Structures are given as structure tokens and as C-alpha cells.
Amino acid sequence: MSGDTVEHRKSRVAFPAQERGTDAVARHGRSPELRQERAVQTRMQILDAAAQIFDERGYGGTSVKDVADRVGMTKGAVYFHYPTKEALTVAVVEAHYDRWPVLLEAVQNEGLGPLDTVVELLDRTARAFQGDVVVQGAARLQMEQPLPEGVLPQPYVGWISLLEQLLAEAEEAGELRAGVSPAAAARTLVSTFFGTQHISARLSRRADLAQRWGEARDLLVVALRA
Amino acid sequence: MSGDTVEHRKSRVAFPAQERGTDAVARHGRSPELRQERAVQTRMQILDAAAQIFDERGYGGTSVKDVADRVGMTKGAVYFHYPTKEALTVAVVEAHYDRWPVLLEAVQNEGLGPLDTVVELLDRTARAFQGDVVVQGAARLQMEQPLPEGVLPQPYVGWISLLEQLLAEAEEAGELRAGVSPAAAARTLVSTFFGTQHISARLSRRADLAQRWGEARDLLVVALRA
């Protein structure tokens, strides 16, 4: 690491790869002919409906029948794509994790400094929590931990690692207040973000999330910026 | 409010009363002879065991039989004190809310300034999350929302309201940085605290909570203090 330039390291900043021991469960049932456009769209429809219901009722309150009813399909048709409620759960959570590298790339294309990249990334993530049903459903599932340890990816660690890398760049660029530890700041940002979105979900069904995240982010930036 | 002195308002700072529509459920089964020392101790034993198991396994993974086994009683004996799993759930969450006014009074007796009162209160609350099984079990139950809307007290609002009052005092005492809104700061403190304790619970079973809360609190104090 020591010999890297900031530019070199910047290009390597990424979410760490998540272990996905359960891919087989989530993808069971796929066959070549299913890879048609229509099948993909059906799967996405089912996933969105499942995410919505998981968000509204939690894992325990959701059945495959509920999901089938919402998309206007038979239970059998849903099972054809996702053979169990567990498979649906894993698929929703994995689809949610797949959002973040895409978001990161979009923000990195803006060419902001590292600290502003952190801020912009979290601002857009707040909007995703407000508008993206898959993110919302996955957030509740991750919190409820309905499946055995190790089946769902470990939450938070990918975000903490990514923000720590960006904040280390911010430190090198002289953007951090003296004495701020990139690792501690990354953990605090993730904790504050997560707490803000969770409390907003509980108290206003996320209606006030942009405002609540904005005020929390402004306070944290005062503490972080040089 | 406008004519109040700081001293006067200080004496009124308190957690707002929580609606407890479910007292009847939780207290069902009490009778005069149960109010003996032994019965009270038995109830506390059951409550502690239930809280522990709720924390370990969540609401869905906990049965009254599990609780009975842990305290070495029959299921019937547990039912005598708490007639349903729902009653046990409500009792654990209410016992958790009962901790905070006691903690607040202890901190207020230290005679600290308002901002330091906020910090000391949250530091002690972090210790309670690390060492108090009732607080731990209630935290998981509140997150899972296993009971219908309105059965458990609404989370977070009492803490936000209390901290807002203390921070308004801090503002009047000139302790807050110019431009900091007591309401926004209170919400951010509660979000950060909640997120920190939740992530610590998930990633280290709260082993690192004191350290994690310490680093988050230090950053926030930089943003808040004049």
C-alpha cells in the first residue's frame, strides 16, 4: 500500500466481495429458456412484490401466497422462480447488496474529492432507502435476522470498509480534521446512517428520511472536515 | 416557556409519559398474595430469562417452554405470572423503559452542565446495553416489532424529547456551537446511539460497544460543543 499514489488507490476503492454461499438456493430453478427477457421481468416483479411485503409485515408475516397474490400469479408460478420463502429472502437481500457497487460507480464518475464522494454516496443511499422497495425490504430482513447465521451476507462490514478507504484518501488529501481516525469515522457514519434510516422507517415510514439524514450528515461533516 | 428560568425548566426535564394500553395484559394474573417478596423475585427471574432468550433468538425463536426451562420451572408456573408470550414481551419492553428515568435521576444528581449531562446519560446507557439483559432483550423485540402496532410503547420518541430538552438548556447556557438545532442534534444523537448499539450487537455481540460508542460520541461532541 505504502508505494501507491492516491490515484492508484482511488481506482481500487470498492465494496469488498461478499460471500454468497446461498447462491445455489436463490438461483435454483433457473434454466436456459428462463433467461428470456420475460422470465427476467417476472422474477423482478416477484422480487419487488416480496420486498414490499417483507418491508410491510416482516419475514414472519409474509407468505409466498401473499407474494403470489400481489403479482397476480399462482403460488406454483412463484415457486417455479423461487422454490422457498428462504430463497425469496436471500434473493431480496442479495439484490439490495447489488445496488451499492452501481451507486458507487455513478458517484465516482462525478469526480468529487474523497470526502464529498462519501457525502454524495450516503445522500444517494438515503434516497434509495426512501424510494427503492428492494432496499426497504432487505433492510427489514437484515434487521430481523430470520435465517440461520451465515445464510445472509454479514451486514454493515462492506459499507464500513468502503467508507474507511474513502476517508483514508480524504485524510491523505488533507480534507480531514486533525485527529480524526478514518476507521472510527467510517463506523460512526455507518451507525448514524443506519440509525437514521431505521428510526425514520419506524416513526414516519421514511417520509422524513431525506430531511433527517440531511441534518445528521451536516453535523457529522462539521466533526470530520478539516 | 419563555418566562421560565433555566433552573425551573431543568427540574422539569423528564422522559415523557408513555402510553401503556397493555398494562392489563402484562399485569393480568396478579393478586394480593403475589405481591410478596418471593413472587416479585420469581417474576424478575422469569423476566430476565425471557429477555436473555429474546435477545439470543428473537421473538419467533422463543417459547414460554424455553423460558421455563432456563429458570427451572414448569411452563404452568411461568404462565401463572405471565399468561402468554405476548405478556412476557410487553413486560420485558416495559421493564426496559422503566430503567431510563432511574438512570436520568442518577445522572442529574451529579450536577453536570446540560451538555455533559447528555454525554454522561448516553455513556451510562451504553453500559446498560452492554450489561443489562432486560435492555438487550427489549432492544431486539423493539426492532423486530413482533406485536401489532400500538401494543408496545413507541420507541425513540421519549429519548429524542428528553435530549432535546437538555440540549435546549445547553443552548441557553451557551454550550452549543452557533447554528446547532437542539431538536436536530437530539435526533442525530439518538440515531447514532441506536445505530452504534445495533451494529455492535450484530458484529460483536456488544463486546466492543463501549469503544464504538466512545468514538461516535467524541465525533458528535466536536460538532455540538461551542
Side-chain angles (χ1 to χ4, degrees), chain A residues 39-111:
Chain A
V40 170
Q41 284 195 353
T42 304
R43 286 172 68 86
M44 279 179 51
Q45 262 182 6
I46 296 171
L47 218 59
D48 280 1
Q52 245 171 38
I53 302 173
F54 282 135
D55 181 43
E56 291 162 16
R57 310 180 196 166
Y59 182 83
T62 300
S63 71
V64 175
K65 173 83 167 59
D66 296 332
V67 177
D69 287 349
R70 186 150 312 179
V71 289
M73 290 169 69
T74 64
K75 232 169 73 172
V78 172
Y79 280 131
F80 180 74
H81 295 278
Y82 297 99
T84 60
K85 183 162 94 167
E86 182 179 316
L88 260 177
T89 302
V90 172
V92 167
V93 173
E94 290 192 346
H96 146 264
Y97 279 108
D98 288 343
R99 304 297 207 248
W100 308 136
V102 179
L103 198 67
L104 174 63
E105 207 190 324
V107 173
Q108 283 178 321
N109 287 341
E110 306 260 309

Side-chain angles (χ1 to χ4, degrees), chain A residues 126-150:
Chain A
R127 292 202 285 279
F129 271 89
Q130 218 167 4
D132 184 331
V133 292
V134 166
V135 171
Q136 294 166 351
R140 179 148 183 192
L141 289 169
Q142 275 289 17
M143 213 133 48
E144 290 187 353
Q145 319 171 47
L147 303 186
E149 192 88 10

Side-chain angles (χ1 to χ4, degrees), chain B residues 78-98:
Chain B
V78 172
Y79 279 131
F80 179 75
H81 295 277
Y82 297 99
T84 60
K85 184 162 95 167
E86 182 178 316
L88 259 177
T89 301
V90 172
V92 167
V93 173
E94 290 192 345
H96 145 263
Y97 279 108
D98 288 343

Side-chain angles (χ1 to χ4, degrees), chain A:
Chain A
M1 256 253 230
S2 54
D4 292 351
T5 63
V6 173
E7 282 66 34
H8 181 196
R9 291 210 293 107
K10 193 170 205 166
S11 66
R12 285 195 293 135
V13 168
F15 286 92
Q18 290 272 1
E19 287 229 2
R20 296 203 167 179
T22 53
D23 265 10
V25 178
R27 303 214 155 78
H28 179 78
R30 274 192 183 176
S31 64
E33 61 268 31
L34 266 182
R35 294 205 190 97
Q36 299 156 8
E37 185 62 20
R38 233 179 102 186
V40 170
Q41 284 195 353
T42 304
R43 286 172 68 86
M44 279 179 51
Q45 262 182 6
I46 296 171
L47 218 59
D48 280 1
Q52 245 171 38
I53 302 173
F54 282 135
D55 181 43
E56 291 162 16
R57 310 180 196 166
Y59 182 83
T62 300
S63 71
V64 175
K65 173 83 167 59
D66 296 332
V67 177
D69 287 349
R70 186 150 312 179
V71 289
M73 290 169 69
T74 64
K75 232 169 73 172
V78 172
Y79 280 131
F80 180 74
H81 295 278
Y82 297 99
T84 60
K85 183 162 94 167
E86 182 179 316
L88 260 177
T89 302
V90 172
V92 167
V93 173
E94 290 192 346
H96 146 264
Y97 279 108
D98 288 343
R99 304 297 207 248
W100 308 136
V102 179
L103 198 67
L104 174 63
E105 207 190 324
V107 173
Q108 283 178 321
N109 287 341
E110 306 260 309
L112 303 165
L115 188 53
D116 287 331
T117 296
V118 168
V119 169
E120 180 64 18
L121 187 61
L122 290 173
D123 285 0
R124 291 200 198 186
T125 302
R127 292 202 285 279
F129 271 89
Q130 218 167 4
D132 184 331
V133 292
V134 166
V135 171
Q136 294 166 351
R140 179 148 183 192
L141 289 169
Q142 275 289 17
M143 213 133 48
E144 290 187 353
Q145 319 171 47
L147 303 186
E149 192 88 10
V151 174
L152 297 179
Q154 196 181 29
Y156 314 117
V157 292
W159 273 102
I160 292 170
S161 158
L162 175 78
L163 296 188
E164 184 180 343
Q165 292 171 69
L166 287 166
L167 290 165
E169 287 183 10
E171 188 179 38
E172 276 187 49
E175 293 179 356
L176 287 197
R177 186 173 57 81
V180 169
S181 142
R187 288 189 290 259
T188 300
L189 280 164
V190 172
S191 295
T192 303
F193 184 91
F194 168 75
T196 301
Q197 83 77 16
H198 175 74
I199 293 176
S200 170
R202 281 304 289 275
L203 300 185
S204 80
R205 294 199 63 75
R206 300 192 184 87
D208 66 0
L209 178 53
Q211 224 182 325
R212 293 290 93 84
W213 168 245
E215 68 194 21
R217 173 250 289 141
D218 287 348
L219 280 173
L220 285 171
V221 166
V222 167
L224 297 183
R225 204 184 288 275

Side-chain angles (χ1 to χ4, degrees), chain B residues 121-138:
Chain B
L121 187 61
L122 290 173
D123 285 359
R124 291 199 197 186
T125 303
R127 291 201 285 278
F129 271 89
Q130 219 166 4
D132 184 332
V133 292
V134 165
V135 171
Q136 293 165 353

Side-chain angles (χ1 to χ4, degrees), chain B residues 175-215:
Chain B
E175 293 179 355
L176 287 198
R177 187 173 58 79
V180 169
S181 143
R187 288 189 289 258
T188 301
L189 280 164
V190 171
S191 295
T192 303
F193 184 91
F194 168 74
T196 301
Q197 83 76 16
H198 175 74
I199 293 175
S200 169
R202 281 304 287 277
L203 300 185
S204 79
R205 294 200 63 76
R206 299 193 185 87
D208 67 359
L209 178 53
Q211 224 181 326
R212 293 290 93 84
W213 168 245
E215 67 194 20

